[in-house]
Amino acid sequence: MQLKDLARLASSELVQRIEFHQSLGSTNDRAALLASDEFLSCPALVVATEQTAGRGRGGNRWWSTPGGLMFSLVLQGTEPATNPAHWSGYSLATGLAICEALSFVSSTTDFTVKWPNDVYANGRKIAGILIESPAQARGRLIVGIGVNVNNSFRAAPEELQEIATSLCDIEQQPQDATNVLLGLLERLQQRWGQLRSQGFAAVREDWIARSLLTGRTVTLQVGPKQFVGRCLGIDDDGSLILQTESGRQAFAAGSVVQFE
Ligand code: BTN
C-alpha cells in the first residue's frame, strides 16, 4: 500500500478520518493516542506499511513482515467499549467480516474463524484481531487487524508454513492491498451495523457456519487453568461451548492453545 492509495480509501463510507504511516510501532498504539482526542471523528483509520512493535493477543508479538496489511480502527464509544465483557460480539463479528471479505478475493478458499477471532484460510492462520480500550481512549473501542496479504510464507521455515499463510501464497500472485482493505471496511461496516441494530443473534448463525473448532477437541487456557473438551460451538452471547469431562461448559474468555 502506498500514500497514493489514500484517495481510494477515502471513498470508504465507514471511515471519517484516515492516517497513513510508512512505519509505526503499533497501529493500535497510534489509534489509542488519536482516541484520546475527544473531538476525533470516528470511525478513524490508521494504516501502516511497517510496524516495529506490532502486538497480538495475550501479550504476544505480531510479526509485521513487509507486504502485510496492518491497520486499526477507532470506534465511537458505545456500550460495548467500556466493558470488555461486551467486546465479544464485536470481536466475533470482526472475524466473520474478515472471512467474508477475503472470500471475495479468493472464492475457492475455505476461510474460517477460530474462536474468538482468528481467521484461517484452508486451515492456516491468515489474520488476527486485537481489540482494546485503554484508559486514554476515552471509552472508545480500538480494533486492530493484521492480514497476511503480500507477505509470502514460501521462504519461511516449514513449521511456520504449516500454520500460517497469506493471500499471495494462496492466489500465487501479488494482491492489491488497497482493494483488500476496502473490501474489509465494507464487510466490517455491514456486520458491525447489524450487531448494533439487531444484536449478536443476527451474526451468530453465520459465525457458526464458519467455525473452525466445532466438532474438534480443543484445549482452552483460562488464566492458570486448562480445559479440554469437544467444541460444540458458541452460545447466544458468543461464549465457547465445550463438552468437557465434567459436562457442558461455556467460556466467555480464554485462549485456544491446541485443537485436533
Ligand atoms: C493476534 O492474532 O494475536 C492479533 C494480531 C493483531 C495484529 C494487528 S496488526 C495491526 C494492529 N496493530 C497491532 O499492534 N496489532 C494489531
Side-chain angles (χ1 to χ4, degrees):
M1 184 166 305
Q2 296 170 350
L3 201 54
K4 67 177 169 56
D5 296 314
L6 270 179
R8 279 164 70 203
L9 284 177
S11 71
S12 163
E13 282 172 26
L14 176 68
V15 290
Q16 299 296 317
R17 177 195 164 123
I18 302 173
E19 267 197 5
F20 177 83
H21 296 262
Q22 284 298 347
S23 180
L24 271 181
S26 153
T27 55
N28 264 35
D29 292 345
R30 175 65 194 161
L33 196 68
L34 288 183
S36 64
D37 172 4
E38 66 174 305
F39 299 112
L40 177 76
S41 303
C42 293
L45 170 69
V46 179
V47 194
T49 48
E50 181 195 48
Q51 282 188 138
T52 52
R55 292 184 287 108
R57 291 179 69 236
N60 292 328
R61 215 178 146 182
W62 178 259
W63 295 100
S64 312
T65 45
L69 175 60
M70 294 151 286
F71 65 99
S72 300
L73 286 157
V74 184
L75 305 185
Q76 190 52 53
T78 50
E79 80 296 338
T82 42
N83 183 351
H86 291 152
W87 292 359
S88 140
Y90 267 83
S91 140
L92 296 171
T94 300
L96 175 62
I98 296 173
C99 279
E100 292 170 335
L102 298 185
S103 296
F104 281 110
V105 182
S106 182
S107 58
T108 54
T109 302
D110 182 29
F111 290 102
T112 51
V113 267
K114 176 176 149 252
W115 187 90
N117 57 17
D118 286 341
V119 176
Y120 276 60
N122 296 337
R124 292 161 196 202
K125 182 159 169 171
I126 194 161
I129 301 162
L130 178 65
I131 299 193
E132 298 177 306
S133 186
Q136 79 266 30
R138 310 179 71 95
R140 289 164 168 155
L141 204 60
I142 291 163
V143 180
I145 297 176
V147 185
N148 299 326
V149 176
N150 287 317
N151 45 332
S152 173
F153 287 83
R154 289 196 173 210
E158 204 143 313
E159 322 78 87
L160 189 55
Q161 285 192 46
E162 278 165 19
I163 57 169
T165 190
S166 74
L167 273 181
C168 72
D169 287 339
I170 294 169
E171 289 298 303
Q172 300 188 355
Q173 57 183 354
Q175 299 297 302
D176 181 331
T178 307
N179 268 355
V180 174
L181 178 52
L182 282 168
L184 287 165
L185 294 175
E186 198 184 309
R187 286 314 293 168
L188 288 168
Q189 181 177 28
Q190 199 267 338
R191 285 299 185 181
W192 289 340
Q194 206 176 23
L195 194 66
R196 275 191 295 269
S197 59
Q198 301 165 54
F200 183 64
V203 172
R204 185 170 169 264
E205 286 307 313
D206 290 339
W207 195 97
I208 288 172
R210 289 198 183 260
S211 168
L212 175 72
L213 298 178
T214 305
R216 298 187 189 225
T217 300
V218 167
T219 306
L220 186 73
Q221 186 83 42
V222 185
K225 285 193 177 167
Q226 281 200 348
F227 298 85
V228 180
R230 204 167 78 86
C231 176
L232 303 179
I234 53 169
D235 69 10
D236 289 347
D237 68 1
S239 296
L240 183 76
I241 311 167
L242 295 185
Q243 184 68 47
T244 68
E245 271 184 347
S246 27
R248 189 180 183 280
Q249 287 184 271
F251 299 90
S255 267
V256 173
V257 288
Q258 205 182 316
F259 59 95
E260 52 203 47

